[in-house]
Amino acid sequence: TLLITKEALFDTLRKVFPNADAVIKEGKFAFTNSNVKKLLLIKLWIDCDIPLIIMGETGVGKTFLIKYFAELSKL
């Protein structure tokens, strides 16, 4: 897989989420290629009114991901 630099990930988030700089500086989230892709896909699905189900084992970070997404989106 193609790995992207951390700064490129942050640049992408800044383009999509209006509150990205303030939220990124808090340092609560591990920015990996996979996590950024998930955040961007969630944004796309919400913008397109596509239903979304987030599934996974207990403790893998589903709730945290959505809370973090809400902070990024200023929801």
Side-chain angles (χ1 to χ4, degrees):
T1 61
L2 177 64
L3 294 177
I4 301 172
T5 65
K6 190 164 272 204
E7 192 55 43
L9 292 175
F10 291 158
D11 288 341
T12 302
L13 286 174
R14 286 184 191 106
K15 291 176 186 174
V16 176
F17 295 100
N19 194 29
D21 280 329
V23 176
I24 289 170
K25 288 179 185 175
E26 292 176 14
K28 294 192 258 179
F29 194 73
F31 287 98
T32 64
N33 286 334
S34 176
N35 287 342
V36 171
K37 287 177 192 174
K38 289 173 189 170
L39 289 169
L40 295 173
L41 283 172
I42 290 169
K43 172 83 168 129
L44 177 65
W45 291 328
I46 288 173
D47 289 350
C48 294
D49 282 334
I50 297 172
L52 174 66
I53 296 174
I54 298 178
M55 296 172 46
E57 298 292 325
T58 302
V60 297
K62 298 176 298 291
T63 301
F64 185 82
L65 178 69
I66 295 304
K67 286 180 180 179
Y68 198 80
F69 177 82
E71 287 181 42
L72 281 171
S73 301
K74 291 187 174 181
L75 295 175

